[in-house]
Amino acid sequence: LRLVDLGERDLRAGESWERPSETPAAPPAASASVAAPSAPATKPAPIAARPSAAAPAVTAPAAPPASANGTRFAAAMSLFRQARWPDADAAFALFEREAATDPRAEDAAWLRAVARSRAGDAAGAAALAKRYLERYPQGLRRAEAEALAKGNEP
């Protein structure tokens, strides 16, 4: 794992990494360079066991807590997987409102249209597909949204 503001870390299969919850320090001077940590002599210690003093100061703003957005999205996906289409549509709509800047907002917009289509609301699905295309003209599901906007199944 290589991060500009935190240097390099070794991750092995099954390991994970979380950004330290330290308060961001002042950005380093423009002429300062970030030194990479030295290579370990033997098998690296687990990420959690490594001393945080070896890592350069955090300069990027901390990511917003993923728990609230992640929980909302996971709940909506669970409803979608259970084929509870109206509930999934409502849950994805809530996610879109509450987490509009989350990268999964595009997915939520598309999945709302799919859920509406699978619930039998062709007009509602077409309207949501058109809304998806307006918000994400180069979106991942563009071709499918264009077809759904014309009344075809996704």
Side-chain angles (χ1 to χ4, degrees):
L1 172 67
R2 290 187 185 125
L3 300 170
V4 173
D5 60 336
L6 295 177
E8 185 175 305
R9 299 285 187 266
D10 293 326
L11 294 177
R12 303 279 186 243
E15 292 181 334
S16 63
W17 176 87
E18 291 185 25
R19 180 176 292 278
S21 60
E22 301 171 20
T23 304
S31 62
S33 63
V34 175
S38 60
T42 60
K43 182 180 172 189
I47 298 300
R50 291 188 183 183
S52 61
V58 176
T59 58
S67 60
N69 290 347
T71 300
R72 278 189 198 99
F73 193 81
M77 282 304 302
S78 177
L79 294 167
F80 188 87
R81 286 185 190 108
Q82 294 172 40
R84 294 175 54 189
W85 310 124
D87 295 333
D89 178 17
F92 283 125
L94 174 64
F95 180 84
E96 280 189 282
R97 281 191 306 275
E98 299 294 325
T101 60
D102 188 285
R104 294 167 289 197
E106 179 183 344
D107 298 327
W110 167 245
L111 291 169
R112 281 192 71 201
V114 173
R116 192 73 65 94
S117 174
R118 291 182 182 173
D121 181 1
L128 287 172
K130 289 174 186 173
R131 182 174 171 257
Y132 171 89
L133 290 167
E134 290 169 3
R135 292 185 65 200
Y136 308 102
Q138 301 302 317
L140 180 64
R141 299 296 186 168
R142 178 181 174 183
E144 294 96 327
E146 289 172 342
L148 187 56
K150 293 176 184 174
N152 300 321
E153 287 291 317

